[in-house]
Amino acid sequence: MESMNAPASRPLTVRSATTPLSGAVTVPGDKSISHRALMFAALARGETGITGLLEGEDVLRTAAAMRALGATVTRTAPGTWQVTGKGLGALQEPDDVLDMGNSGTAARLLSGILASHGIFSVMTGDGSLRGRPMKRVIDPLSATGARFTARSGGRLPLAIAGVADPAPLSYRLPVASAQVKSAVLLAGLNAPGTTRVEEPVATRDHTENMLRHFGAEVAVAPLDTGGRVITLAGRPDLVARDVAVPGDPSSAAFVLAAALLVPGSSVTVRGVGLNPLRTGLFATLREMGADLRLSNERVEGGEPVGDLTAVAGPLHGVDVPADRAPSMIDEYPILAVVAAHATGPSRFRGLEELRVKESDRLSATVALLQRNGVSVDVVGDDMLVTGTGGAVPGGGLVETRMDHRLAMSAIVLGLVAARPVEVDDTVFIDTSFPGFIDLMNRIGAGLAA
């Protein structure tokens, strides 16, 4: 179904797992790649087939937006979609407001596309998205000649008066952000000349990979400081190409973490995307002593893929450097849960980007742990977690703040807590991982429906 009606809240009480978790599962398609596949297919000439598309609420919002902009977007089977693109520069003005739901990725990337087309559009979102900052994409995109009108602080709803002949951009990101980088590159697609983006630390490169897949000319060069410069030749002839979406490593993280923590567990997640700019969590877990095994490595749709097996065992604290944050920015809440069960202290450095996710994820993660008896502090942009070396006390109420990753992290915490953990709302899990609770029950979690 493609319904995007928001259901009532779904609270959940999570009790400690009574048996080991076991089995082999497949997680939903990568959310980042799914968004981009729909957008780029809508900008390309011809018909693109997409398999493995994540059918969570966030991605369905992107599908609806591209349909409203003139592309033909059709679901032909579960996870299988066909998109007939309008061609670069040919998007039509939408008849109504574009509602992006909870998806910051969709809103920020789409801003780049809308800025560089000569149409007027308005974007809004749910309560969480309307409170999140858009100024960091508005500022660079305004240099194209597009005009933006937003609420105070650059918040949605956002009106965009795009330009049909945008100026190419040259922009240095003040903070590493794949979303801002991608917005600038997408604006540069329909601009003459060369668009240039400099990032201080390498961030996930799905945009660059997929632009090449559809025929754009993208070059990446390292900087002496450790960052990268990405250049894009404007106005390429984007041609439809089929896309196979791998399993989302950010979704696999919750299943694998639960398997590492519940004693006696062994769980395999098949077909996980292993882009090296997305696998910081897996490297960190191994540094903590995790038994995490990789098999069946392959390449699908230009992205490395493999099967990961997590086997429960003792873990110890870790010091994660700031330059690893971009490769695991979505995984810090679940990593904090793992650290809470490890022996000794952990320190996660350079987490300023967490403050502008679906919620202020830094403060929300701290609250999640503190309410369940875990010692945690924030020093500047670093989070310090003191592990218990076993089950955390639990017994707290987790306020998920409309954030799917906090909800799933709280569920994993509850599976290995001494006392039941109350999760105030699990409905937003569907934005990225529809069927999460059912999947966890299939491997033995015993979660109440």
mmCIF file of all heavy atoms in Angstrom, residues 6-57:
data_model
loop_
_atom_site.group_PDB
_atom_site.id
_atom_site.type_symbol
_atom_site.label_atom_id
_atom_site.label_comp_id
_atom_site.label_asym_id
_atom_site.label_seq_id
_atom_site.Cartn_x
_atom_site.Cartn_y
_atom_site.Cartn_z
ATOM 1 N N ALA A 6 -1.199 9.186 8.759
ATOM 2 C CA ALA A 6 -0.494 8.940 10.011
ATOM 3 C C ALA A 6 -1.406 8.219 10.993
ATOM 4 O O ALA A 6 -2.445 8.741 11.378
ATOM 5 C CB ALA A 6 -0.016 10.261 10.609
ATOM 6 N N PRO A 7 -1.067 6.987 11.406
ATOM 7 C CA PRO A 7 -1.893 6.272 12.360
ATOM 8 C C PRO A 7 -1.702 6.817 13.770
ATOM 9 O O PRO A 7 -0.813 7.633 14.034
ATOM 10 C CB PRO A 7 -1.366 4.838 12.254
ATOM 11 C CG PRO A 7 0.046 4.980 11.811
ATOM 12 C CD PRO A 7 0.081 6.208 10.942
ATOM 13 N N ALA A 8 -2.548 6.361 14.689
ATOM 14 C CA ALA A 8 -2.431 6.771 16.076
ATOM 15 C C ALA A 8 -1.124 6.240 16.655
ATOM 16 O O ALA A 8 -0.496 5.329 16.124
ATOM 17 C CB ALA A 8 -3.623 6.248 16.860
ATOM 18 N N SER A 9 -0.717 6.816 17.773
ATOM 19 C CA SER A 9 0.528 6.399 18.405
ATOM 20 C C SER A 9 0.441 4.936 18.848
ATOM 21 O O SER A 9 -0.637 4.410 19.132
ATOM 22 C CB SER A 9 0.839 7.291 19.596
ATOM 23 O OG SER A 9 -0.144 7.132 20.598
ATOM 24 N N ARG A 10 1.624 4.273 18.911
ATOM 25 C CA ARG A 10 1.697 2.875 19.303
ATOM 26 C C ARG A 10 2.751 2.727 20.396
ATOM 27 O O ARG A 10 3.935 2.509 20.099
ATOM 28 C CB ARG A 10 2.053 1.984 18.117
ATOM 29 C CG ARG A 10 0.984 1.853 17.061
ATOM 30 C CD ARG A 10 1.224 0.633 16.163
ATOM 31 N NE ARG A 10 2.511 0.710 15.489
ATOM 32 C CZ ARG A 10 2.655 1.071 14.210
ATOM 33 N NH1 ARG A 10 1.600 1.409 13.498
ATOM 34 N NH2 ARG A 10 3.846 1.097 13.654
ATOM 35 N N PRO A 11 2.350 2.871 21.665
ATOM 36 C CA PRO A 11 3.318 2.647 22.739
ATOM 37 C C PRO A 11 3.660 1.159 22.843
ATOM 38 O O PRO A 11 2.916 0.291 22.362
ATOM 39 C CB PRO A 11 2.588 3.145 23.986
ATOM 40 C CG PRO A 11 1.135 3.047 23.645
ATOM 41 C CD PRO A 11 1.037 3.274 22.165
ATOM 42 N N LEU A 12 4.791 0.857 23.466
ATOM 43 C CA LEU A 12 5.238 -0.529 23.576
ATOM 44 C C LEU A 12 6.012 -0.709 24.877
ATOM 45 O O LEU A 12 6.840 0.128 25.236
ATOM 46 C CB LEU A 12 6.137 -0.884 22.386
ATOM 47 C CG LEU A 12 6.683 -2.313 22.312
ATOM 48 C CD1 LEU A 12 5.553 -3.301 22.045
ATOM 49 C CD2 LEU A 12 7.755 -2.423 21.229
ATOM 50 N N THR A 13 5.731 -1.783 25.572
ATOM 51 C CA THR A 13 6.520 -2.185 26.738
ATOM 52 C C THR A 13 7.446 -3.314 26.313
ATOM 53 O O THR A 13 6.986 -4.338 25.791
ATOM 54 C CB THR A 13 5.610 -2.659 27.883
ATOM 55 O OG1 THR A 13 4.741 -1.586 28.268
ATOM 56 C CG2 THR A 13 6.451 -3.070 29.094
ATOM 57 N N VAL A 14 8.739 -3.121 26.506
ATOM 58 C CA VAL A 14 9.737 -4.096 26.068
ATOM 59 C C VAL A 14 10.346 -4.773 27.289
ATOM 60 O O VAL A 14 10.866 -4.108 28.183
ATOM 61 C CB VAL A 14 10.843 -3.427 25.223
ATOM 62 C CG1 VAL A 14 11.790 -4.488 24.658
ATOM 63 C CG2 VAL A 14 10.241 -2.603 24.097
ATOM 64 N N ARG A 15 10.288 -6.101 27.299
ATOM 65 C CA ARG A 15 10.864 -6.881 28.395
ATOM 66 C C ARG A 15 12.079 -7.654 27.905
ATOM 67 O O ARG A 15 12.225 -7.939 26.719
ATOM 68 C CB ARG A 15 9.810 -7.837 28.958
ATOM 69 C CG ARG A 15 8.679 -7.105 29.674
ATOM 70 C CD ARG A 15 7.580 -8.044 30.155
ATOM 71 N NE ARG A 15 6.638 -7.320 31.004
ATOM 72 C CZ ARG A 15 5.645 -6.565 30.555
ATOM 73 N NH1 ARG A 15 5.469 -6.429 29.244
ATOM 74 N NH2 ARG A 15 4.853 -5.941 31.399
ATOM 75 N N SER A 16 12.916 -8.001 28.826
ATOM 76 C CA SER A 16 14.152 -8.702 28.507
ATOM 77 C C SER A 16 13.871 -9.990 27.737
ATOM 78 O O SER A 16 12.948 -10.740 28.071
ATOM 79 C CB SER A 16 14.896 -9.022 29.803
ATOM 80 O OG SER A 16 16.109 -9.691 29.535
ATOM 81 N N ALA A 17 14.651 -10.220 26.699
ATOM 82 C CA ALA A 17 14.495 -11.438 25.902
ATOM 83 C C ALA A 17 14.782 -12.662 26.764
ATOM 84 O O ALA A 17 15.762 -12.689 27.528
ATOM 85 C CB ALA A 17 15.427 -11.399 24.701
ATOM 86 N N THR A 18 13.946 -13.677 26.637
ATOM 87 C CA THR A 18 14.093 -14.879 27.461
ATOM 88 C C THR A 18 14.851 -15.994 26.760
ATOM 89 O O THR A 18 15.257 -16.965 27.397
ATOM 90 C CB THR A 18 12.704 -15.393 27.886
ATOM 91 O OG1 THR A 18 11.917 -15.645 26.712
ATOM 92 C CG2 THR A 18 11.992 -14.355 28.753
ATOM 93 N N THR A 19 15.031 -15.868 25.452
ATOM 94 C CA THR A 19 15.783 -16.861 24.684
ATOM 95 C C THR A 19 16.714 -16.142 23.719
ATOM 96 O O THR A 19 16.496 -14.967 23.379
ATOM 97 C CB THR A 19 14.839 -17.777 23.874
ATOM 98 O OG1 THR A 19 14.052 -16.970 22.980
ATOM 99 C CG2 THR A 19 13.904 -18.554 24.801
ATOM 100 N N PRO A 20 17.768 -16.811 23.251
ATOM 101 C CA PRO A 20 18.659 -16.181 22.272
ATOM 102 C C PRO A 20 17.927 -15.834 20.980
ATOM 103 O O PRO A 20 16.937 -16.472 20.610
ATOM 104 C CB PRO A 20 19.723 -17.252 22.028
ATOM 105 C CG PRO A 20 19.686 -18.131 23.229
ATOM 106 C CD PRO A 20 18.248 -18.151 23.653
ATOM 107 N N LEU A 21 18.437 -14.824 20.272
ATOM 108 C CA LEU A 21 17.925 -14.465 18.955
ATOM 109 C C LEU A 21 18.668 -15.304 17.912
ATOM 110 O O LEU A 21 19.881 -15.520 18.021
ATOM 111 C CB LEU A 21 18.148 -12.984 18.674
ATOM 112 C CG LEU A 21 17.627 -11.990 19.720
ATOM 113 C CD1 LEU A 21 17.920 -10.558 19.279
ATOM 114 C CD2 LEU A 21 16.149 -12.186 19.984
ATOM 115 N N SER A 22 17.939 -15.773 16.901
ATOM 116 C CA SER A 22 18.595 -16.580 15.876
ATOM 117 C C SER A 22 17.821 -16.492 14.569
ATOM 118 O O SER A 22 16.622 -16.211 14.551
ATOM 119 C CB SER A 22 18.689 -18.050 16.317
ATOM 120 O OG SER A 22 17.403 -18.618 16.451
ATOM 121 N N GLY A 23 18.530 -16.736 13.469
ATOM 122 C CA GLY A 23 17.894 -16.739 12.159
ATOM 123 C C GLY A 23 18.653 -15.908 11.152
ATOM 124 O O GLY A 23 19.675 -15.284 11.461
ATOM 125 N N ALA A 24 18.143 -15.903 9.938
ATOM 126 C CA ALA A 24 18.694 -15.093 8.844
ATOM 127 C C ALA A 24 17.562 -14.250 8.275
ATOM 128 O O ALA A 24 16.490 -14.773 7.965
ATOM 129 C CB ALA A 24 19.290 -15.982 7.762
ATOM 130 N N VAL A 25 17.791 -12.950 8.153
ATOM 131 C CA VAL A 25 16.741 -12.026 7.732
ATOM 132 C C VAL A 25 17.282 -11.061 6.691
ATOM 133 O O VAL A 25 18.491 -10.933 6.488
ATOM 134 C CB VAL A 25 16.184 -11.220 8.940
ATOM 135 C CG1 VAL A 25 15.501 -12.138 9.938
ATOM 136 C CG2 VAL A 25 17.293 -10.409 9.605
ATOM 137 N N THR A 26 16.367 -10.363 6.044
ATOM 138 C CA THR A 26 16.702 -9.291 5.102
ATOM 139 C C THR A 26 16.038 -8.019 5.594
ATOM 140 O O THR A 26 14.842 -8.027 5.914
ATOM 141 C CB THR A 26 16.202 -9.628 3.687
ATOM 142 O OG1 THR A 26 16.798 -10.860 3.267
ATOM 143 C CG2 THR A 26 16.574 -8.526 2.702
ATOM 144 N N VAL A 27 16.790 -6.942 5.673
ATOM 145 C CA VAL A 27 16.225 -5.672 6.124
ATOM 146 C C VAL A 27 15.764 -4.868 4.913
ATOM 147 O O VAL A 27 16.150 -5.147 3.773
ATOM 148 C CB VAL A 27 17.249 -4.862 6.942
ATOM 149 C CG1 VAL A 27 17.646 -5.617 8.211
ATOM 150 C CG2 VAL A 27 18.484 -4.505 6.114
ATOM 151 N N PRO A 28 14.917 -3.859 5.136
ATOM 152 C CA PRO A 28 14.434 -3.043 4.015
ATOM 153 C C PRO A 28 15.576 -2.353 3.260
ATOM 154 O O PRO A 28 16.687 -2.211 3.766
ATOM 155 C CB PRO A 28 13.525 -2.016 4.700
ATOM 156 C CG PRO A 28 13.102 -2.670 5.974
ATOM 157 C CD PRO A 28 14.279 -3.490 6.402
ATOM 158 N N GLY A 29 15.256 -1.914 2.047
ATOM 159 C CA GLY A 29 16.244 -1.248 1.198
ATOM 160 C C GLY A 29 16.798 0.021 1.828
ATOM 161 O O GLY A 29 16.164 0.668 2.672
ATOM 162 N N ASP A 30 17.990 0.360 1.399
ATOM 163 C CA ASP A 30 18.691 1.536 1.918
ATOM 164 C C ASP A 30 17.868 2.799 1.677
ATOM 165 O O ASP A 30 17.483 3.102 0.540
ATOM 166 C CB ASP A 30 20.051 1.651 1.230
ATOM 167 C CG ASP A 30 20.909 2.745 1.806
ATOM 168 O OD1 ASP A 30 20.586 3.927 1.572
ATOM 169 O OD2 ASP A 30 21.900 2.429 2.481
ATOM 170 N N LYS A 31 17.610 3.537 2.746
ATOM 171 C CA LYS A 31 16.758 4.722 2.637
ATOM 172 C C LYS A 31 17.417 5.817 1.791
ATOM 173 O O LYS A 31 16.783 6.430 0.935
ATOM 174 C CB LYS A 31 16.423 5.254 4.031
ATOM 175 C CG LYS A 31 15.398 6.389 4.024
ATOM 176 C CD LYS A 31 14.648 6.471 5.339
ATOM 177 C CE LYS A 31 15.501 6.980 6.466
ATOM 178 N NZ LYS A 31 15.117 8.308 6.928
ATOM 179 N N SER A 32 18.709 6.050 2.024
ATOM 180 C CA SER A 32 19.408 7.095 1.278
ATOM 181 C C SER A 32 19.397 6.812 -0.223
ATOM 182 O O SER A 32 19.157 7.711 -1.044
ATOM 183 C CB SER A 32 20.860 7.217 1.766
ATOM 184 O OG SER A 32 20.919 7.624 3.107
ATOM 185 N N ILE A 33 19.664 5.560 -0.584
ATOM 186 C CA ILE A 33 19.701 5.197 -1.995
ATOM 187 C C ILE A 33 18.294 5.213 -2.584
ATOM 188 O O ILE A 33 18.087 5.607 -3.743
ATOM 189 C CB ILE A 33 20.388 3.834 -2.173
ATOM 190 C CG1 ILE A 33 21.864 3.936 -1.751
ATOM 191 C CG2 ILE A 33 20.295 3.346 -3.615
ATOM 192 C CD1 ILE A 33 22.611 2.613 -1.773
ATOM 193 N N SER A 34 17.293 4.802 -1.811
ATOM 194 C CA SER A 34 15.912 4.793 -2.305
ATOM 195 C C SER A 34 15.446 6.199 -2.668
ATOM 196 O O SER A 34 14.840 6.412 -3.733
ATOM 197 C CB SER A 34 14.982 4.181 -1.250
ATOM 198 O OG SER A 34 15.246 2.804 -1.067
ATOM 199 N N HIS A 35 15.692 7.175 -1.789
ATOM 200 C CA HIS A 35 15.335 8.561 -2.096
ATOM 201 C C HIS A 35 15.975 9.006 -3.413
ATOM 202 O O HIS A 35 15.313 9.573 -4.295
ATOM 203 C CB HIS A 35 15.838 9.502 -0.997
ATOM 204 C CG HIS A 35 15.026 9.519 0.249
ATOM 205 N ND1 HIS A 35 13.682 9.824 0.275
ATOM 206 C CD2 HIS A 35 15.372 9.313 1.543
ATOM 207 C CE1 HIS A 35 13.246 9.791 1.517
ATOM 208 N NE2 HIS A 35 14.257 9.484 2.306
ATOM 209 N N ARG A 36 17.262 8.764 -3.529
ATOM 210 C CA ARG A 36 18.009 9.237 -4.691
ATOM 211 C C ARG A 36 17.576 8.521 -5.967
ATOM 212 O O ARG A 36 17.513 9.135 -7.036
ATOM 213 C CB ARG A 36 19.511 9.071 -4.435
ATOM 214 C CG ARG A 36 20.053 10.072 -3.403
ATOM 215 C CD ARG A 36 21.397 9.607 -2.842
ATOM 216 N NE ARG A 36 22.030 10.616 -1.975
ATOM 217 C CZ ARG A 36 21.714 10.803 -0.700
ATOM 218 N NH1 ARG A 36 20.750 10.079 -0.135
ATOM 219 N NH2 ARG A 36 22.334 11.732 0.012
ATOM 220 N N ALA A 37 17.285 7.237 -5.860
ATOM 221 C CA ALA A 37 16.849 6.492 -7.045
ATOM 222 C C ALA A 37 15.583 7.104 -7.635
ATOM 223 O O ALA A 37 15.470 7.283 -8.863
ATOM 224 C CB ALA A 37 16.619 5.026 -6.690
ATOM 225 N N LEU A 38 14.623 7.453 -6.794
ATOM 226 C CA LEU A 38 13.381 8.062 -7.277
ATOM 227 C C LEU A 38 13.638 9.439 -7.873
ATOM 228 O O LEU A 38 13.101 9.784 -8.934
ATOM 229 C CB LEU A 38 12.370 8.165 -6.135
ATOM 230 C CG LEU A 38 11.771 6.838 -5.646
ATOM 231 C CD1 LEU A 38 11.037 7.045 -4.333
ATOM 232 C CD2 LEU A 38 10.832 6.243 -6.686
ATOM 233 N N MET A 39 14.443 10.242 -7.193
ATOM 234 C CA MET A 39 14.701 11.604 -7.677
ATOM 235 C C MET A 39 15.455 11.600 -8.998
ATOM 236 O O MET A 39 15.083 12.293 -9.948
ATOM 237 C CB MET A 39 15.483 12.393 -6.624
ATOM 238 C CG MET A 39 14.692 12.720 -5.372
ATOM 239 S SD MET A 39 15.678 13.704 -4.208
ATOM 240 C CE MET A 39 14.538 13.816 -2.831
ATOM 241 N N PHE A 40 16.524 10.819 -9.074
ATOM 242 C CA PHE A 40 17.345 10.838 -10.282
ATOM 243 C C PHE A 40 16.603 10.211 -11.455
ATOM 244 O O PHE A 40 16.751 10.645 -12.595
ATOM 245 C CB PHE A 40 18.662 10.111 -10.039
ATOM 246 C CG PHE A 40 19.550 10.786 -9.013
ATOM 247 C CD1 PHE A 40 19.160 11.960 -8.388
ATOM 248 C CD2 PHE A 40 20.764 10.241 -8.664
ATOM 249 C CE1 PHE A 40 19.966 12.572 -7.456
ATOM 250 C CE2 PHE A 40 21.583 10.850 -7.727
ATOM 251 C CZ PHE A 40 21.185 12.012 -7.117
ATOM 252 N N ALA A 41 15.796 9.180 -11.165
ATOM 253 C CA ALA A 41 14.997 8.576 -12.234
ATOM 254 C C ALA A 41 13.995 9.572 -12.788
ATOM 255 O O ALA A 41 13.717 9.595 -13.998
ATOM 256 C CB ALA A 41 14.275 7.338 -11.713
ATOM 257 N N ALA A 42 13.442 10.443 -11.936
ATOM 258 C CA ALA A 42 12.491 11.455 -12.392
ATOM 259 C C ALA A 42 13.165 12.519 -13.247
ATOM 260 O O ALA A 42 12.527 13.148 -14.102
ATOM 261 C CB ALA A 42 11.806 12.114 -11.191
ATOM 262 N N LEU A 43 14.472 12.729 -13.033
ATOM 263 C CA LEU A 43 15.219 13.736 -13.800
ATOM 264 C C LEU A 43 15.812 13.162 -15.087
ATOM 265 O O LEU A 43 16.300 13.911 -15.931
ATOM 266 C CB LEU A 43 16.357 14.312 -12.943
ATOM 267 C CG LEU A 43 15.938 15.141 -11.728
ATOM 268 C CD1 LEU A 43 17.156 15.452 -10.871
ATOM 269 C CD2 LEU A 43 15.245 16.429 -12.153
ATOM 270 N N ALA A 44 15.795 11.852 -15.225
ATOM 271 C CA ALA A 44 16.418 11.215 -16.385
ATOM 272 C C ALA A 44 15.412 11.016 -17.519
ATOM 273 O O ALA A 44 14.200 11.015 -17.312
ATOM 274 C CB ALA A 44 17.004 9.863 -15.966
ATOM 275 N N ARG A 45 15.935 10.830 -18.720
ATOM 276 C CA ARG A 45 15.097 10.496 -19.872
ATOM 277 C C ARG A 45 14.857 8.994 -19.896
ATOM 278 O O ARG A 45 15.791 8.199 -19.789
ATOM 279 C CB ARG A 45 15.791 10.899 -21.170
ATOM 280 C CG ARG A 45 15.972 12.383 -21.387
ATOM 281 C CD ARG A 45 16.513 12.662 -22.788
ATOM 282 N NE ARG A 45 17.833 12.074 -23.022
ATOM 283 C CZ ARG A 45 18.063 10.996 -23.745
ATOM 284 N NH1 ARG A 45 17.065 10.344 -24.324
ATOM 285 N NH2 ARG A 45 19.298 10.549 -23.916
ATOM 286 N N GLY A 46 13.610 8.602 -20.062
ATOM 287 C CA GLY A 46 13.299 7.188 -20.213
ATOM 288 C C GLY A 46 12.753 6.567 -18.941
ATOM 289 O O GLY A 46 12.412 7.248 -17.969
ATOM 290 N N GLU A 47 12.686 5.233 -18.958
ATOM 291 C CA GLU A 47 12.042 4.488 -17.875
ATOM 292 C C GLU A 47 13.077 3.737 -17.049
ATOM 293 O O GLU A 47 13.844 2.926 -17.572
ATOM 294 C CB GLU A 47 11.016 3.514 -18.446
ATOM 295 C CG GLU A 47 10.203 2.788 -17.380
ATOM 296 C CD GLU A 47 9.080 1.978 -17.970
ATOM 297 O OE1 GLU A 47 8.054 2.586 -18.362
ATOM 298 O OE2 GLU A 47 9.231 0.754 -18.054
ATOM 299 N N THR A 48 13.069 4.001 -15.756
ATOM 300 C CA THR A 48 13.985 3.361 -14.815
ATOM 301 C C THR A 48 13.224 2.330 -13.989
ATOM 302 O O THR A 48 12.157 2.628 -13.449
ATOM 303 C CB THR A 48 14.611 4.405 -13.869
ATOM 304 O OG1 THR A 48 15.469 5.268 -14.619
ATOM 305 C CG2 THR A 48 15.421 3.741 -12.759
ATOM 306 N N GLY A 49 13.768 1.131 -13.879
ATOM 307 C CA GLY A 49 13.224 0.121 -12.982
ATOM 308 C C GLY A 49 14.012 0.106 -11.686
ATOM 309 O O GLY A 49 15.250 0.130 -11.697
ATOM 310 N N ILE A 50 13.317 0.105 -10.562
ATOM 311 C CA ILE A 50 13.963 0.100 -9.255
ATOM 312 C C ILE A 50 13.497 -1.137 -8.502
ATOM 313 O O ILE A 50 12.301 -1.379 -8.356
ATOM 314 C CB ILE A 50 13.611 1.358 -8.437
ATOM 315 C CG1 ILE A 50 13.951 2.631 -9.222
ATOM 316 C CG2 ILE A 50 14.352 1.356 -7.099
ATOM 317 C CD1 ILE A 50 13.458 3.908 -8.561
ATOM 318 N N THR A 51 14.439 -1.928 -8.006
ATOM 319 C CA THR A 51 14.115 -3.088 -7.176
ATOM 320 C C THR A 51 14.700 -2.884 -5.780
ATOM 321 O O THR A 51 15.722 -2.210 -5.611
ATOM 322 C CB THR A 51 14.668 -4.388 -7.777
ATOM 323 O OG1 THR A 51 16.084 -4.244 -7.988
ATOM 324 C CG2 THR A 51 14.002 -4.703 -9.103
ATOM 325 N N GLY A 52 14.044 -3.466 -4.780
ATOM 326 C CA GLY A 52 14.513 -3.344 -3.405
ATOM 327 C C GLY A 52 14.223 -2.001 -2.778
ATOM 328 O O GLY A 52 14.774 -1.678 -1.716
ATOM 329 N N LEU A 53 13.351 -1.190 -3.388
ATOM 330 C CA LEU A 53 13.069 0.141 -2.851
ATOM 331 C C LEU A 53 12.467 0.033 -1.457
ATOM 332 O O LEU A 53 11.566 -0.775 -1.210
ATOM 333 C CB LEU A 53 12.089 0.884 -3.765
ATOM 334 C CG LEU A 53 11.880 2.361 -3.419
ATOM 335 C CD1 LEU A 53 12.967 3.213 -4.061
ATOM 336 C CD2 LEU A 53 10.507 2.850 -3.871
ATOM 337 N N LEU A 54 12.966 0.838 -0.545
ATOM 338 C CA LEU A 54 12.369 0.937 0.782
ATOM 339 C C LEU A 54 10.983 1.562 0.660
ATOM 340 O O LEU A 54 10.838 2.658 0.116
ATOM 341 C CB LEU A 54 13.248 1.803 1.692
ATOM 342 C CG LEU A 54 12.629 2.187 3.041
ATOM 343 C CD1 LEU A 54 12.377 0.962 3.904
ATOM 344 C CD2 LEU A 54 13.524 3.181 3.762
ATOM 345 N N GLU A 55 9.982 0.872 1.188
ATOM 346 C CA GLU A 55 8.610 1.385 1.101
ATOM 347 C C GLU A 55 8.136 1.927 2.443
ATOM 348 O O GLU A 55 6.993 1.754 2.846
ATOM 349 C CB GLU A 55 7.683 0.297 0.553
ATOM 350 C CG GLU A 55 8.006 -0.017 -0.909
ATOM 351 C CD GLU A 55 7.146 -1.118 -1.496
ATOM 352 O OE1 GLU A 55 6.600 -1.933 -0.722
ATOM 353 O OE2 GLU A 55 7.031 -1.170 -2.742
ATOM 354 N N GLY A 56 9.048 2.607 3.146
ATOM 355 C CA GLY A 56 8.700 3.313 4.364
ATOM 356 C C GLY A 56 8.077 4.658 4.037
ATOM 357 O O GLY A 56 8.121 5.143 2.899
ATOM 358 N N GLU A 57 7.528 5.283 5.058
ATOM 359 C CA GLU A 57 6.813 6.547 4.864
ATOM 360 C C GLU A 57 7.695 7.620 4.231
ATOM 361 O O GLU A 57 7.249 8.362 3.355
ATOM 362 C CB GLU A 57 6.254 7.039 6.201
ATOM 363 C CG GLU A 57 5.127 6.187 6.758
ATOM 364 C CD GLU A 57 3.840 6.335 5.960
ATOM 365 O OE1 GLU A 57 3.543 7.455 5.505
ATOM 366 O OE2 GLU A 57 3.133 5.330 5.802
#
